[in-house]
Coordinates of all heavy atoms in Angstrom, one line a residue:
G202 N 142.7 98.5 79.5 CA 143.5 97.6 78.8 C 142.8 97.2 77.4 O 143.6 97.1 76.5
L203 N 141.5 97.3 77.4 CA 140.8 96.8 76.2 C 140.8 98.2 75.2 O 140.5 97.9 74.0 CB 139.5 96.5 76.5 CG 139.3 95.2 77.2 CD1 137.9 95.0 77.7 CD2 139.7 94.1 76.3
Q204 N 141.2 99.3 75.8 CA 141.3 100.5 74.9 C 139.9 100.8 74.1 O 139.9 101.0 72.9 CB 142.4 100.4 73.9 CG 143.8 100.3 74.5 CD 144.9 100.0 73.5 OE1 144.7 100.1 72.3 NE2 146.2 100.1 74.2
L205 N 138.8 100.8 74.9 CA 137.5 101.0 74.3 C 137.2 102.4 74.1 O 136.1 102.9 73.6 CB 136.4 100.3 75.1 CG 136.6 98.8 75.3 CD1 135.6 98.2 76.2 CD2 136.6 98.1 73.9
G206 N 138.0 103.3 74.7 CA 137.7 104.8 74.8 C 137.4 105.2 76.3 O 137.5 104.3 77.2
D207 N 137.1 106.4 76.5 CA 136.9 106.9 77.7 C 135.6 106.2 78.4 O 134.7 106.0 77.7 CB 136.6 108.4 77.9 CG 137.9 109.2 77.5 OD1 139.0 108.5 77.7 OD2 137.9 110.3 77.0
F208 N 135.6 106.0 79.7 CA 134.6 105.4 80.4 C 134.4 106.0 81.7 O 135.2 106.8 82.2 CB 134.8 103.9 80.6 CG 136.0 103.6 81.4 CD1 136.0 103.4 82.7 CD2 137.3 103.4 80.8 CE1 137.0 103.1 83.5 CE2 138.5 103.1 81.5 CZ 138.3 103.0 82.9
L209 N 133.2 105.8 82.4 CA 132.9 106.3 83.7 C 132.2 105.2 84.5 O 131.2 104.5 84.0 CB 132.1 107.5 83.6 CG 131.7 108.3 84.9 CD1 132.9 108.8 85.6 CD2 130.6 109.3 84.7
I210 N 132.6 105.0 85.8 CA 131.9 104.0 86.6 C 130.9 104.8 87.6 O 131.3 105.6 88.3 CB 132.9 103.3 87.4 CG1 133.8 102.4 86.6 CG2 132.2 102.3 88.4 CD1 134.9 101.7 87.3
K211 N 129.6 104.5 87.4 CA 128.6 105.0 88.1 C 128.1 104.3 89.4 O 128.0 103.1 89.3 CB 127.4 105.2 87.2 CG 127.6 106.2 86.0 CD 126.3 106.4 85.2 CE 126.7 107.3 84.0 NZ 125.4 107.5 83.2
M212 N 128.0 104.9 90.5 CA 127.5 104.2 91.7 C 126.2 104.7 92.0 O 125.9 105.9 91.9 CB 128.5 104.6 92.8 CG 129.9 104.1 92.6 SD 131.1 104.7 93.7 CE 130.6 103.8 95.2
A213 N 125.2 103.8 92.3 CA 123.9 104.1 92.5 C 123.6 104.7 93.8 O 123.8 104.1 94.8 CB 123.1 102.9 92.3
W214 N 123.1 105.9 93.9 CA 122.7 106.5 95.1 C 121.5 105.8 95.8 O 121.5 105.7 97.0 CB 122.3 107.9 94.9 CG 121.5 108.5 96.1 CD1 120.3 109.0 96.2 CD2 122.1 108.8 97.4 NE1 120.0 109.4 97.4 CE2 121.1 109.3 98.2 CE3 123.3 108.6 97.9 CZ2 121.2 109.6 99.6 CZ3 123.5 108.8 99.3 CH2 122.5 109.4 100.1
K215 N 120.6 105.2 95.1 CA 119.5 104.5 95.7 C 120.0 103.5 96.7 O 119.3 103.4 97.8 CB 118.7 103.8 94.5 CG 117.5 103.0 95.1 CD 116.9 102.3 94.0 CE 115.9 101.1 94.4 NZ 115.2 100.5 93.4
D216 N 120.9 102.7 96.5 CA 121.4 101.6 97.3 C 122.3 102.3 98.4 O 122.3 101.7 99.6 CB 122.1 100.6 96.5 CG 121.2 99.9 95.5 OD1 120.5 98.8 96.0 OD2 121.1 100.3 94.4
V217 N 122.9 103.4 98.2 CA 123.7 104.0 99.3 C 122.8 104.6 100.2 O 123.0 104.4 101.5 CB 124.6 105.1 98.6 CG1 125.1 105.9 99.8 CG2 125.6 104.6 97.6
R218 N 121.7 105.1 99.8 CA 120.6 105.7 100.8 C 119.9 104.5 101.5 O 119.9 104.7 102.8 CB 119.5 106.4 100.0 CG 118.4 107.0 100.9 CD 117.2 107.5 100.1 NE 116.3 108.3 100.8 CZ 115.4 107.7 101.5 NH1 115.3 106.3 101.6 NH2 114.6 108.3 102.3
H219 N 119.7 103.4 100.9 CA 119.1 102.3 101.6 C 119.9 101.8 102.7 O 119.6 101.5 103.9 CB 118.7 101.2 100.6 CG 118.1 99.9 101.2 ND1 118.9 98.8 101.6 CD2 116.9 99.6 101.5 CE1 118.1 97.9 102.3 NE2 116.9 98.3 102.1
E220 N 121.3 101.7 102.4 CA 122.2 101.2 103.4 C 122.3 102.1 104.5 O 122.4 101.6 105.7 CB 123.6 100.9 102.7 CG 124.6 100.2 103.6 CD 125.9 99.8 102.8 OE1 126.0 100.2 101.7 OE2 126.7 99.1 103.5

Side-chain angles (χ1 to χ4, degrees):
L203 290 170
Q204 299 179 353
L205 302 176
D207 291 337
F208 61 90
L209 183 68
I210 298 177
K211 299 180 179 181
M212 302 173 63
W214 164 246
K215 173 185 175 182
D216 294 272
V217 175
R218 181 187 186 280
H219 178 268
E220 186 171 9

